[in-house]
Amino acid sequence: QTIPVTGKVTSTSGETLPGVTVLIKGTSKGTSTNGDGSYAIEADAGSILKFSFIGLKSIELPVPRDGKLDVRLESDETILQEVVVTALGIAKEKKSLGYAVQELQTKDVAEAREGNLVNALSGKIAGVNITNSQGGMGSSRIVIRGETSIAGNNQPLFVVDGIPVDNSQLGAGANGSRDFANAIADINPNDIESISVLKGPNAAALYGSRASNGVILIKTKSGKGTQRGLGVNVNFGYSSEKLLVLPEYQNVFGQGTGGAFSYVNGKGGGVNDATDESWGPRMDGRLIPQFFSNGEAVPFVAHPDNVKNFFVTGHTRTTGVSVAGSNDKVDYRFSFNNSKQTGVIPNTDISKNSFGVNTTYRLNDKLTLSTSANFARNSSDNLPGTSGRGSSVMLQFLWFGRQVDTELLKDYNKGGFDYNWNHSYYSNPYLLQYENTAQQRRDRFFGNVNLNYKITDWLTANVRTGNDYYNDKRKFRVAYGTNGTPYGSYTEDSYVVNENNTDFNFNFHKNVSTDFELDWLVGGNLRSNFNEQNYQQAPRLAVADLYTLNNSRDPLVSYNVLRKQKVYSAFSSAQVGFRNYAFLNLTARNDWSSTLPTGNNSYFYPSVNASLVLTDAFDIKSNVLTYAKLRGGWAEVGKDTDPYQLVNTFPFNQPFGSAPLLTVSDVFLSEDLKPEITQSTEIGADVALFRNRVRLDVSYYNTDSYNQILRADVSPSTGYKQKLLNAGHINNRGIEAMLNVKPIETESGFKWDIGINFSRNRSKVVELDDEGFLNDYKLGTNGVTVYASKGLGYGAIFGSAFARAENGEQIIGANGLPAKNPSLQVLGHYTPKWMGGINNSFSFKGFNLNVLIDTKQGGSIYSATNATGRYTGVLKSTLPGRDADHGGLTYYYPGNNKAGVAVQVANAAAAPTGAIVYDDGIIANGVTTDGKPNTVIVPAERYYKGVYSNSAGINEASVFDASFIKLREVKLGYTVPQTFISKFKLQSLTLALYGRNLAFLQKKADNIDPETAFNTGNTGQGLESLQLPTTASYGFNLSIGF
Amino acid sequence: CQDQLEETNTNPNEAIKAQPEYLLANAIKSNADLTLGSDASMETTTLFIQHWAKIQYTDPDKYTVSIANVQNVWTNLYSQGLTDFATLIKLGEETGNTNYQAVGLILKSWSFQLLTDLYGNIPYSEALKLNETLTPKYDSQKDVYLGLLNDLKKATELINTGGSPISGDLVYNGNLTKWKKFANSLRLRIALRIADKEPETAKAVVTELAKDKSALIASNDEIAQLVYLASPNQNPVSRDRETRDDYRVSKSIIDKLQELKDPRLAVFANKTVDATPTGYIGVTNGLPADSAAKLGFTKTSKLGDYFTAAASPAVFVSYAEVLFNLAEAAQRGYIAENAADLYKAAVTASLQQFKVSNADIATYLAQPSVSYNAANYKKSIGEQKWLALFSQGLEAFAEWRRLDYPQLKPAYAGVLNGKLPLRLTYPTGEQALNAANYKAAVAAQGEDRLTTRLWFDAF
């Protein structure tokens, strides 16, 4: 006798559970729950139904007589059936995976907000290295498990809801010298449900060409399971930003050189008044004409906070509303977010508005349609300038007169435009901020449509198409009368970026026997990208104060660049599970890329990995060892290249009058490029002890990348600057460990969690080309040069070094200045030796306190701030030796001939009569070439300029250990108890107070934040270049559910 | 499917084929920019030759030459001008347009001449052949100059005034007769350059050229030069002065011009902003930064407006230079002409080039201090050539080294132990990218220093 059984399956929290497998025990007959968690099945009376769902404890229940059976499934923490999102968005039990995966949840990124999403990952994920280009409003770089490509992109692929989205940083540092944020900053943290980090090829092999740097999968929130209340959530946030690090300036000596200064016109009319350095007179109140005094001699005094006071407090306000709902047919979620950030630099801001809709529509039992659509507008009236005299205020403050009262500069129109302390190189810093603006507006639309058809219980088909489109327009103004550009200029630079992906797959899932389970996927993908830049400039305006391209004295400077790329792919993956404790995973993918030549453009990537849950396999039940899993795997992935790397072409130059100009390209391209190949091996273990009170996850990986596509420098006498090579080999290997400990968990509800992550990566450039012709590949240069050098780790910093005697003492030349080692030396590597983070979390009765500390140890950074500020004498570190009060030695020149050799004397009285006596002598610590102690006395200014000169100085003096320990995040959250809020008809109410980037607990680099780089590419790493100071932020976040 | 992929990867931004006229125009502009730009001129040769001096950032004026400047001269000449000219020659051969071949060869030869003048031994016979070698050997300076004489001769023979026309010619606007004159004038220049080392060759070349002086640049209207336009195609010096104010006219040349009561003073230099008794004050080369700054920006002479104008030309070979070379050739006995007359004509041509009135020219030439001294012709020609080549740093530097006049005092705080630079060092890139050949060149030529004397510089 069969009985029709119906019922509903819910979780312990009351959410309905679609997709729960309902099986009649002992048979292969079964069904699964539909969208609202309900099911219907015909079963024999007396038979037993088994309800199972990934991550939940299975339950077996007898068929009741009335056929009504509602089931509640408990989550099954004890056996660690965690589910994670893997490649192509497929949810899998973590225990079945042969590689490490780490996930973050919404609260990890949304509560303590960062302007740039990438920064929110700092310190939280093992093996992830994040650097900022600028404080507060700019771009960030993320690299997972070291650089696998010598010259190519090393940042991971970002995938939102199954669709790759762009994270380029377009036009960085170029026109207008702004640090435009990388594009993933458009994603609103409040919409994120989870972030899954696939670290490298083993986890990401199914993504083929783009997997070698890892993949960051972002899943956005949906309306699924929202049934209580109105489904409305409102979110308010506020934070304020303050400078974290500002260089330490000296406040003893003012503008000038050789101790002399007097202002007439700020461009050489007075005494050293064009000099943008602070080797001038003591700021002791002596009377000197200054820029504000109309020729009158006025007290020359220090303004110690003149730079600090230029900066303001930044504010960020965010408001978000979401409405979500779910019934048996439809899940939906709509969200709107607004954020408005003003920066620490005056008159800078970024506004973001985003709308998102996520819906799932269950058309019938078999067909489900999901859509996701997001619109984001990111706009700024002015972004902070980052380099160059025309926009960077930090440059001006490092080439500065320390006596300048910046308060007086606020009125930059006073007595005519560009009222300033200097007129030979700089414009008023306020003028730069208020007149010479850089606007940006990025309108972005991304989304996808996904159709899922359940052909049978064990076979589904899936078709998805997704698109990411944005239009990024920048407008740069330079006002009439700005120093160096008397007629000003106006530039428009716009980008259109589009990526379309269409993919389809069949997914087969079946228990093939009582012991074996098979999960098999086969599919294909069509990808097309285009990217267009359109640049136009009116190089000199015809009339002032009108910013339009037509307002030009000269022909417009213009160019455009269009790039297209297509990739076709076919892929398959299979997972075989044995008794739910042993798993074998296989993947295969073939890509056909338009960027490679016919013949080389088809390439295949296999991967294999396996996992074995020892505790289940050997039926270990112990109070100490709760869980143990071993895993391992091997993967091969590849990488194509940028478009148009095969055929030599002739670029145009700006025409000369009516004559068009065309030139031979600087790079000799290669017609037979092959794809870059990365092979990676990973092994690991996952162990839980003491009923999950201690949990350790360790991985070791070894990655080799071959056939690197490089633009190698060649002797220009060949007619070219570079030749495209397809060779080279770089190895990365390292370990990662994540340790979670729950030292205290009391009955009263007090919980203390400690999460520790640690990673260490070693890279080695094994080879650069087949012929052994190339030993160094230049990555970036700025004072020093950063190389990938054969035999060394990636990112070696080469520069000039002190000449040293055998005992390590500096050798001092006959001129009294430290001598330079005649050949360039390796001064460090920018890559850290190891990184780590430790998060302590305390929770009690709705309160939750998180303290995150993270560190990077062992890398190096070249600091142009230090080199420049010591050359110009503005930094505090240039005080030693500058006068008697600061340890300066006394000397005179025989016959007062300054070109002669100075003679040291004990005091002024000891000098011959008539001799001018100086007290700024330095005898450099070191030995002469014949090993005797140096005795030559030089003026302090000459010493500092000698050592820190950009062209003739010694780079080693400006290379610092980049190690730091940062108090990254402190967050206090409170979830108001249900009993209280239900009186106000609220579903939830949480409040979080937080601070981010609060303090350095350790820092070895003077005057800068060492966690910084010139840009997000390979070209800017290890190079600090007068960057804007980084910021600390303090804020709160309030979330109310109705 | 493959077709679609290939089509996707067709570069839509750049030309697949080069138009010869566009290449020609580009390379002329590129080389002209180089001869006046900061790398080969402003920060190096005009300072070495004491035409200009620095009032700020004086390191280069003290002969601390920036690595970047040295590299850029090499890189720009080889990978811009030369490679464009080489491609132009190839295009000429392919299309049978001998005139493009000829013009390409003339300009290519001129570019190599600039390189060898500066560095000495250079990649020449194996240069510009990336498909054959990534590491071209260096040829001796002698071989380079002799090769260039041949190439230029070949170029003049290729020119066919009745053949296919050329365009994109920013120098002579397609006038092939004038290109022949330019080629011959370069041959004359090179012949004199090697006169102390290879007098027989020099004599043979000059004798051939002097037969028909109309086949040389024969008036100021025929000067080989690029006349710049308004912004954004302005003269590089003009562009520099829009934002920088680092340079002044050297005290050496202002003092000389004043001593000679030279009417070109008002052309070469501007009066100081603050009035002075003489109106003109030069800056001593190679002062320490603080001493230079103390002189005062308004109390020292800036470069004359003639040279800072947007449309000021970049001169490759001037008429005056041709006459000076002929005068020297006469003096050396290569040709049977009156050296003093040719010298006078050369000085006259220079003054006319700078629009000095005929009356003033007569007055000037009448001065004993200006008149030709056959007994010390190197002084007469050297000094006047130095003046005539004002702001043509590259040629002035080469001829000063060869003629050893005027006798310049080293920079005040020069770093070469009281010596003056006699060349540029090889760029550091060569040590890394063409190491074996670089080492061989240094072994053959002498230490890679600024003070190493080049082959042509016999005395």
Side-chain angles (χ1 to χ4, degrees):
Chain A
Q1 184 200 356
T2 57
I3 302 171
V5 188
T6 58
K8 213 168 206 183
V9 183
T10 54
S11 69
T12 44
S13 61
E15 287 176 24
T16 55
L17 294 171
V20 174
T21 307
V22 184
L23 197 73
I24 301 168
K25 204 176 172 192
T27 73
S28 63
K29 192 178 166 196
T31 182
S32 57
T33 57
N34 61 20
D36 62 354
S38 59
Y39 69 94
I41 191 168
E42 300 272 323
D44 291 343
S47 61
I48 288 176
L49 294 184
K50 182 181 178 182
F51 296 83
S52 54
F53 190 72
I54 281 176
L56 300 178
K57 220 180 233 172
S58 300
I59 192 166
E60 295 178 6
L61 293 167
V63 171
R65 290 208 178 148
D66 62 357
K68 284 264 167 219
L69 182 58
D70 288 345
V71 176
R72 180 170 282 213
L73 293 183
E74 288 177 13
S75 74
D76 197 348
E77 274 185 41
T78 53
I79 58 164
L80 298 161
Q81 271 184 331
E82 294 159 273
V83 175
V84 290
V85 180
T86 66
L88 303 181
I90 301 161
K92 287 221 160 132
E93 282 185 57
K94 197 172 180 181
K95 71 176 181 185
S96 72
L97 303 177
Y99 48 81
V101 173
Q102 238 180 315
E103 278 198 329
L104 292 178
Q105 306 302 323
T106 181
K107 65 176 170 51
D108 298 320
V109 295
E111 283 180 353
R113 290 179 76 108
E114 275 278 357
N116 196 322
L117 180 64
V118 168
N119 293 345
L121 275 60
S122 279
K124 292 172 185 163
I125 307 270
V128 167
N129 188 6
I130 289 161
T131 41
N132 307 304
S133 298
Q134 299 291 340
M137 297 177 119
S139 63
S140 296
R141 166 186 164 102
I142 173 166
V143 171
I144 305 174
R145 288 186 175 173
E147 284 84 353
T148 58
S149 183
I150 289 168
N153 175 31
N154 277 304
Q155 298 199 66
L157 172 69
F158 281 79
V159 175
V160 176
D161 293 334
I163 295 297
V165 293
D166 183 80
N167 184 34
S168 310
Q169 190 198 7
L170 297 170
N175 323 303
S177 302
R178 260 66 178 186
D179 179 39
F180 297 98
N182 47 309
I184 204 70
D186 291 347
I187 308 277
N188 170 28
N190 275 337
D191 287 343
I192 294 174
E193 183 175 299
S194 67
I195 298 177
S196 183
V197 181
L198 307 182
K199 299 172 186 175
N202 298 75
L206 262 187
Y207 285 102
S209 297
R210 297 201 278 186
S212 52
N213 310 322
V215 178
I216 294 188
L217 297 173
I218 295 172
K219 187 169 185 294
T220 63
K221 289 176 181 166
S222 70
K224 188 170 154 184
T226 312
Q227 281 183 328
R228 292 181 301 170
L230 300 171
V232 175
N233 198 286
V234 182
N235 193 86
F236 298 102
Y238 168 79
S239 69
S240 73
E241 283 85 38
K242 293 196 165 72
L243 298 183
L244 178 60
V245 185
L246 194 66
E248 275 190 84
Y249 297 97
Q250 58 88 4
N251 290 297
V252 181
F253 301 93
Q255 190 179 354
T257 181
F261 176 74
S262 177
Y263 187 93
V264 172
N265 62 1
K267 48 183 174 185
V271 178
N272 296 328
D273 68 347
T275 303
D276 46 351
E277 299 169 11
S278 286
W279 298 104
R282 262 188 99 101
M283 296 185 285
D284 50 9
R286 67 182 72 187
L287 301 177
I288 297 177
Q290 295 177 50
F291 73 93
F292 54 86
S293 69
N294 291 319
E296 193 189 329
V298 292
F300 196 65
V301 291
H303 292 89
D305 288 332
N306 52 359
V307 175
K308 190 178 152 205
N309 290 345
F310 175 80
F311 292 91
V312 295
T313 301
H315 303 280
T316 307
R317 291 176 198 83
T318 59
T319 311
V321 183
S322 68
V323 182
S326 177
N327 60 35
D328 59 348
K329 283 281 176 206
V330 180
D331 304 327
Y332 64 89
R333 183 174 185 273
F334 168 81
S335 69
F336 166 73
N337 268 278
N338 165 273
S339 82
K340 170 94 182 162
Q341 178 183 10
T342 59
V344 293
I345 316 282
N347 195 37
T348 55
D349 69 78
I350 294 178
S351 297
K352 294 182 189 176
N353 283 292
S354 64
F355 301 86
V357 185
N358 260 354
T359 62
T360 303
Y361 184 50
R362 287 172 286 276
L363 297 157
N364 57 37
D365 281 357
K366 295 195 176 287
L367 204 56
T368 307
L369 179 72
S370 317
T371 61
S372 161
N374 300 276
F375 175 78
R377 170 170 289 180
N378 190 335
S379 58
S380 171
D381 297 317
N382 185 28
L383 287 164
T386 53
S387 62
R389 289 178 184 149
S391 76
S392 167
V393 292
M394 289 314 283
L395 178 73
Q396 173 159 174
F397 293 148
L398 281 158
W399 291 93
F400 201 40
R402 288 296 307 143
Q403 82 288 356
V404 172
D405 182 359
T406 44
E407 190 65 30
L408 296 174
L409 298 176
K410 278 186 174 164
D411 183 6
Y412 55 81
N413 277 315
K414 191 173 171 183
F417 201 60
D418 197 7
Y419 177 67
N420 203 18
W421 62 279
N422 174 288
H423 291 289
S424 55
Y425 309 113
Y426 301 99
S427 277
N428 179 305
Y430 286 97
L431 179 159
L432 296 182
Q433 289 311 311
Y434 286 92
E435 300 287 337
N436 295 356
T437 57
Q439 297 172 40
Q440 180 185 24
R441 195 171 89 177
R442 178 159 63 206
D443 287 333
R444 185 170 196 168
F445 179 83
F446 59 96
N448 67 74
V449 180
N450 188 345
L451 193 64
N452 181 288
Y453 184 65
K454 201 171 182 181
I455 301 165
T456 70
D457 286 346
W458 45 268
L459 185 64
T460 52
N462 212 38
V463 183
R464 176 166 50 199
T465 183
N467 203 82
D468 177 21
Y469 167 90
Y470 63 80
N471 183 329
D472 190 339
K473 192 154 198 172
R474 291 109 189 241
K475 298 176 176 181
F476 304 94
R477 299 175 169 194
V478 176
Y480 243 64
T482 299
N483 186 281
T485 42
Y487 294 102
S489 71
Y490 177 64
T491 307
E492 290 192 2
D493 192 10
S494 71
Y495 299 83
V496 174
V497 173
N498 193 77
E499 170 161 341
N500 182 280
N501 278 277
T502 299
D503 61 305
F504 58 92
N505 62 60
F506 292 94
N507 198 342
F508 172 95
H509 181 107
K510 199 165 182 179
N511 292 327
V512 287
S513 78
T514 45
D515 287 337
F516 286 98
E517 196 178 1
L518 174 65
D519 198 342
W520 183 41
L521 178 119
V522 59
N525 185 80
L526 302 173
R527 162 155 80 96
S528 68
N529 293 70
F530 80 78
N531 177 324
E532 189 169 10
Q533 183 190 6
N534 201 318
Y535 175 93
Q536 286 188 296
Q537 184 185 48
R540 299 189 305 163
L541 301 176
V543 301
D545 298 327
L546 180 62
Y547 297 98
T548 173
L549 290 167
N550 297 332
N551 178 21
S552 183
R553 283 171 190 266
D554 310 313
L556 296 184
V557 176
S558 67
Y559 61 85
N560 68 343
V561 181
L562 173 67
R563 287 143 65 93
K564 285 184 181 173
Q565 186 174 356
K566 277 197 169 89
V567 179
Y568 306 142
S569 314
F571 51 81
S572 181
S573 79
Q575 182 179 75
V576 182
F578 178 71
R579 293 188 180 169
N580 213 25
Y581 60 69
F583 300 89
L584 178 69
N585 297 285
L586 301 162
T587 72
R589 175 166 172 137
N590 201 89
D591 283 357
W592 292 264
S593 168
S594 68
T595 63
L596 295 167
T598 307
N600 288 348
N601 65 357
S602 162
Y603 38 108
F604 178 71
Y605 318 115
S607 91
V608 55
N609 66 73
S611 80
L612 177 65
V613 182
L614 298 170
T615 39
D616 289 356
F618 302 105
D619 208 15
I620 298 166
K621 290 202 166 69
S622 140
N623 280 337
V624 179
L625 183 64
T626 315
Y627 176 78
K629 174 188 139 182
L630 288 179
R631 58 172 190 258
W634 175 89
E636 176 173 308
V637 296
K639 189 186 269 180
D640 55 357
T641 183
D642 295 330
Y644 321 137
Q645 302 298 301
L646 307 178
V647 179
N648 286 311
T649 51
F650 298 87
F652 291 93
N653 281 326
Q654 200 67 26
F656 185 78
S658 60
L661 305 183
L662 200 62
T663 185
V664 175
S665 164
D666 288 341
V667 187
F668 191 84
L669 302 176
S670 168
E671 284 178 350
D672 46 21
L673 282 186
K674 294 173 300 222
E676 293 189 1
I677 295 292
T678 300
Q679 290 169 346
S680 173
T681 307
E682 176 175 339
I683 55 170
D686 190 353
V687 177
L689 304 170
F690 309 113
R691 297 171 178 275
N692 292 333
R693 292 286 280 266
V694 176
R695 199 162 160 194
L696 178 67
D697 188 326
V698 187
S699 309
Y700 167 83
Y701 60 88
N702 185 13
T703 306
D704 284 285
S705 304
Y706 303 96
N707 294 348
Q708 301 273 311
I709 297 173
L710 311 171
R711 293 184 162 207
D713 287 349
V714 293
S715 168
S717 61
T718 59
Y720 294 84
K721 290 181 191 169
Q722 295 180 312
K723 179 179 193 291
L724 198 65
L725 289 184
N726 198 184
H729 172 193
I730 183 169
N731 174 268
N732 277 276
R733 59 196 151 150
I735 54 169
E736 283 163 11
M738 291 163 284
L739 175 68
N740 286 286
V741 183
K742 291 180 180 145
I744 301 175
E745 191 166 11
T746 69
E747 303 239 323
S748 62
F750 179 76
K751 237 166 73 170
W752 176 19
D753 282 283
I754 305 172
I756 296 171
N757 70 71
F758 167 87
S759 66
R760 169 191 172 100
N761 183 71
R762 286 280 180 278
S763 67
K764 187 175 176 185
V765 179
V766 181
E767 203 166 77
L768 288 170
D769 68 330
D770 297 337
E771 293 90 26
F773 152 76
L774 197 61
N775 286 310
D776 308 288
Y777 179 79
K778 184 161 71 181
L779 300 170
T781 184
N782 195 338
V784 292
T785 307
V786 183
Y787 285 104
S789 288
K790 203 163 139 180
L792 297 178
Y794 189 80
I797 299 171
F798 278 73
S800 54
F802 291 106
R804 292 184 189 274
E806 274 173 24
N807 63 3
E809 279 190 276
Q810 285 180 14
I811 294 175
I812 309 300
N815 60 2
L817 297 176
K820 208 191 270 195
N821 188 319
S823 60
L824 297 184
Q825 300 293 309
V826 178
L827 305 174
H829 282 79
Y830 80 75
T831 47
K833 290 205 167 84
W834 63 271
M835 300 180 289
I838 174 163
N839 186 52
N840 277 282
S841 165
F842 307 91
S843 53
F844 183 66
K845 293 196 169 167
F847 284 95
N848 189 301
L849 175 67
N850 270 290
V851 181
L852 174 65
I853 291 167
D854 74 335
T855 184
K856 289 184 201 173
Q857 295 289 326
S860 296
I861 189 165
Y862 173 77
S863 169
T865 288
N866 280 287
T868 306
R870 291 179 185 176
Y871 180 87
T872 63
V874 303
L875 291 178
K876 195 178 172 187
S877 48
T878 62
L879 283 178
R882 287 180 71 168
D883 65 5
D885 292 352
H886 296 91
L889 305 173
T890 308
Y891 65 93
Y892 70 94
Y893 292 101
N896 289 334
N897 172 15
K898 285 181 88 169
V901 178
V903 178
Q904 189 188 357
V905 285
N907 52 51
T913 44
I916 303 169
V917 179
Y918 303 89
D919 66 351
D920 63 341
I922 286 182
I923 297 178
N925 201 357
V927 294
T928 58
T929 42
D930 52 9
K932 294 185 185 131
N934 169 46
T935 55
V936 179
I937 187 165
V938 292
E941 179 176 348
R942 190 182 300 168
Y943 175 81
Y944 288 106
K945 284 189 167 171
V947 175
Y948 293 101
S949 154
N950 195 26
S951 52
I954 296 170
N955 301 138
E956 183 186 343
S958 304
V959 172
F960 292 86
D961 182 340
S963 300
F964 69 86
I965 303 174
K966 236 180 205 179
L967 178 54
R968 179 71 62 186
E969 184 175 298
V970 176
K971 186 170 74 178
L972 176 65
Y974 179 56
T975 305
V976 182
Q978 206 71 35
T979 48
F980 182 75
I981 58 169
S982 54
K983 291 175 195 161
F984 303 95
K985 297 232 163 23
L986 298 181
Q987 297 298 326
S988 66
L989 180 61
T990 58
L991 176 68
L993 300 174
Y994 67 89
R996 281 194 54 88
N997 303 322
L998 293 173
F1000 280 101
L1001 306 178
Q1002 177 216 39
K1003 178 166 88 80
K1004 294 182 175 173
D1006 299 340
N1007 298 309
I1008 58 161
D1009 182 342
E1011 196 187 13
T1012 187
F1014 191 39
N1015 62 37
T1016 61
N1018 299 334
T1019 59
Q1021 306 308 304
L1023 303 170
E1024 181 273 335
S1025 178
L1026 315 186
Q1027 262 124 289
L1028 291 172
T1030 50
T1031 56
S1033 63
Y1034 307 82
F1036 72 86
N1037 197 66
L1038 175 68
S1039 175
I1040 309 165
F1042 296 95
Chain B
C1 181
Q2 289 287 6
D3 288 352
Q4 208 183 348
L5 290 175
E6 265 183 48
E7 193 190 306
T8 305
N9 207 36
T10 305
N11 191 337
N13 307 303
E14 294 175 359
I16 305 286
K17 287 214 164 103
Q19 302 272 75
E21 64 269 37
Y22 301 168
L23 270 183
L24 175 61
N26 182 72
I28 290 170
K29 162 91 168 23
S30 167
N31 267 24
D33 287 352
L34 180 116
T35 62
L36 291 178
S38 60
D39 301 317
S41 176
M42 296 189 219
E43 290 281 274
T44 49
T45 53
T46 53
L47 302 175
F48 299 166
I49 200 66
Q50 301 184 7
H51 282 167
W52 298 10
K54 290 208 82 171
I55 195 160
Q56 259 189 321
Y57 300 106
T58 56
D59 277 351
D61 207 4
K62 294 187 284 193
Y63 312 137
T64 300
V65 177
S66 131
I67 292 170
N69 292 144
V70 172
Q71 180 75 55
N72 290 345
V73 176
W74 183 275
T75 304
N76 291 350
L77 276 169
Y78 273 115
S79 75
Q80 290 179 20
L82 273 169
T83 192
D84 285 356
F85 294 135
T87 309
L88 178 67
I89 293 167
K90 214 167 78 190
L91 287 171
E93 285 166 3
E94 283 166 12
T95 59
N97 186 328
T98 55
N99 289 325
Y100 276 126
Q101 282 181 60
V103 169
L105 198 52
I106 293 165
L107 290 165
K108 189 175 142 193
S109 304
W110 170 52
S111 309
F112 276 124
Q113 174 242 312
L114 296 177
L115 278 164
T116 192
D117 284 352
L118 282 175
Y119 298 96
N121 295 3
I122 53 163
Y124 166 66
S125 57
E126 292 186 357
L128 312 173
K129 295 172 181 167
L130 180 133
N131 276 328
E132 289 170 30
T133 177
L134 289 175
T135 51
K137 71 162 198 201
Y138 287 57
D139 295 285
S140 74
Q141 188 173 48
K142 177 182 162 186
D143 289 347
V144 175
Y145 282 132
L146 295 179
L148 297 178
L149 286 173
N150 278 335
D151 288 348
L152 286 165
K153 169 100 176 143
K154 188 182 153 203
T156 56
E157 289 161 4
L158 279 168
I159 286 180
N160 175 2
T161 48
S164 309
I166 62 165
S167 46
D169 172 9
L170 305 179
V171 180
Y172 290 130
N173 198 23
N175 184 328
L176 291 158
T177 310
K178 286 187 182 168
W179 276 101
K180 219 172 203 171
K181 291 166 180 259
F182 181 16
N184 285 330
S185 303
L186 281 173
R187 288 178 72 207
L188 179 64
R189 172 190 279 186
I190 294 169
L192 268 300
R193 195 81 96 235
I194 61 172
D196 288 335
K197 302 292 281 191
E198 295 285 317
E200 293 309 312
T201 311
K203 187 177 178 187
V205 171
V206 175
T207 315
E208 179 207 326
L209 291 171
K211 277 182 200 150
D212 176 12
K213 273 190 264 169
S214 72
L216 291 162
I217 290 170
S219 78
N220 278 331
D221 295 335
E222 293 177 354
I223 290 176
Q225 62 184 11
L226 172 70
V227 179
Y228 283 94
L229 308 172
S231 167
N233 291 308
Q234 73 272 51
N235 176 300
V237 178
S238 167
R239 181 183 293 265
D240 175 80
R241 296 304 184 277
E242 286 169 8
T243 55
R244 307 285 322 197
D245 192 17
D246 298 9
Y247 302 95
R248 291 295 181 272
V249 179
S250 166
K251 184 172 190 298
S252 308
I253 198 160
I254 286 197
D255 288 357
K256 188 67 174 177
L257 290 161
Q258 285 182 322
E259 179 199 319
L260 297 177
K261 300 191 182 66
D262 195 314
R264 287 172 294 190
L265 175 60
V267 183
F268 293 176
N270 279 356
K271 284 188 175 167
T272 54
V273 175
D274 294 354
T276 70
T278 64
Y280 297 94
I281 293 185
V283 168
T284 303
N285 284 91
L287 291 175
D290 52 343
S291 315
K294 260 183 207 152
L295 293 176
F297 281 51
T298 52
K299 296 178 175 64
T300 45
S301 283
K302 295 189 191 189
L303 191 63
D305 292 343
Y306 176 94
F307 295 93
T308 59
S312 181
V315 177
F316 309 156
V317 181
S318 68
Y319 176 47
E321 185 199 326
V322 170
L323 291 169
F324 278 120
N325 288 339
L326 288 172
E328 187 181 336
Q331 179 67 44
R332 283 177 182 263
Y334 297 170
I335 50 173
E337 290 186 53
N338 186 321
D341 288 349
L342 285 164
Y343 163 86
K344 225 176 202 179
V347 174
T348 306
S350 172
L351 291 161
Q352 283 171 341
Q353 185 186 340
F354 295 109
K355 309 284 182 269
V356 174
S357 71
N358 287 336
D360 287 349
I361 294 172
T363 314
Y364 181 68
L365 287 173
Q367 299 183 101
S369 55
V370 176
S371 62
Y372 183 66
N373 176 1
N376 193 356
Y377 75 92
K378 285 192 173 181
K379 180 170 190 294
S380 291
I381 293 176
E383 288 186 352
Q384 278 300 330
K385 210 167 189 178
W386 179 62
L387 296 174
L389 291 171
F390 182 72
S391 280
Q392 247 181 284
L394 289 159
E395 184 59 18
F397 181 44
E399 287 297 272
W400 164 78
R401 283 177 286 168
R402 190 177 65 82
L403 294 167
D404 301 306
Y405 282 97
Q407 291 182 323
L408 300 173
K409 273 201 289 185
Y412 178 81
V415 296
L416 300 178
N417 297 322
K419 292 184 180 158
L420 283 136
L422 296 176
R423 66 185 283 263
L424 286 186
T425 53
Y426 288 121
T428 46
E430 285 297 291
Q431 299 175 35
L433 301 168
N434 197 3
N437 291 314
Y438 162 80
K439 281 183 193 139
V442 172
Q445 179 165 279
E447 274 191 287
D448 190 10
R449 293 180 181 281
L450 286 170
T451 47
T452 301
R453 194 175 286 277
L454 298 182
W455 172 82
F456 81 87
D457 183 7
F459 306 107

